[in-house]
Amino acid sequence: MSAKFSISKFFGTDYDQDEEYYDNEPQVETSDKVVSIGKNRGHESSKIAVFEPKIYADVKTIAQKLIDNNAVIINFDAASDEATRRIIDFLNGVIFTIDGNIERISELVFLFTPHNYSVDGDIRKEMNDRLR
């Protein structure tokens, strides 16, 4: 190898002088499998956060929990009607974005879940009967 600078050596296109080096390297087989480099959500523990917001500004913390893949139970007893409407409207957009779901547990208690949660039970039927 010469000490002289070469563009082809710099970009790795000059294989003539380094062929012996590459012949001794083990061959690595490539695979067509796609592997996620992000967090593996299947191994994380599922969490449920409980909130009792008083003002609309509390919605940022609640939305972040949903985005972080946590279920959220919200009790709106302490919030005004206006704040409750605004919080539910905002979280409805968050739920739509993450493909989640909203369940009404009681008149002022809601369950917001990300897309990978499923809720079982007859609470919806009982709730519909009570609200009629």
Side-chain angles (χ1 to χ4, degrees), residues 67-124:
I67 292 169
D68 290 341
N69 207 33
N70 294 313
V72 175
I73 296 176
I74 303 175
N75 182 358
F76 288 106
D77 282 338
S80 68
D81 290 342
E82 177 67 22
T84 300
R85 269 192 296 276
R86 290 182 68 200
I87 291 170
I88 290 175
D89 286 345
F90 185 86
L91 293 177
N92 192 27
V94 172
I95 288 295
F96 177 79
T97 303
I98 64 172
D99 195 27
N101 202 7
I102 302 173
E103 296 284 333
R104 190 172 195 167
I105 305 300
S106 71
E107 191 172 335
L108 293 174
V109 178
F110 291 81
L111 172 63
F112 296 82
T113 55
H115 70 280
N116 60 342
Y117 280 77
S118 66
V119 178
D120 252 351
D122 295 331
I123 190 78
R124 184 180 297 158

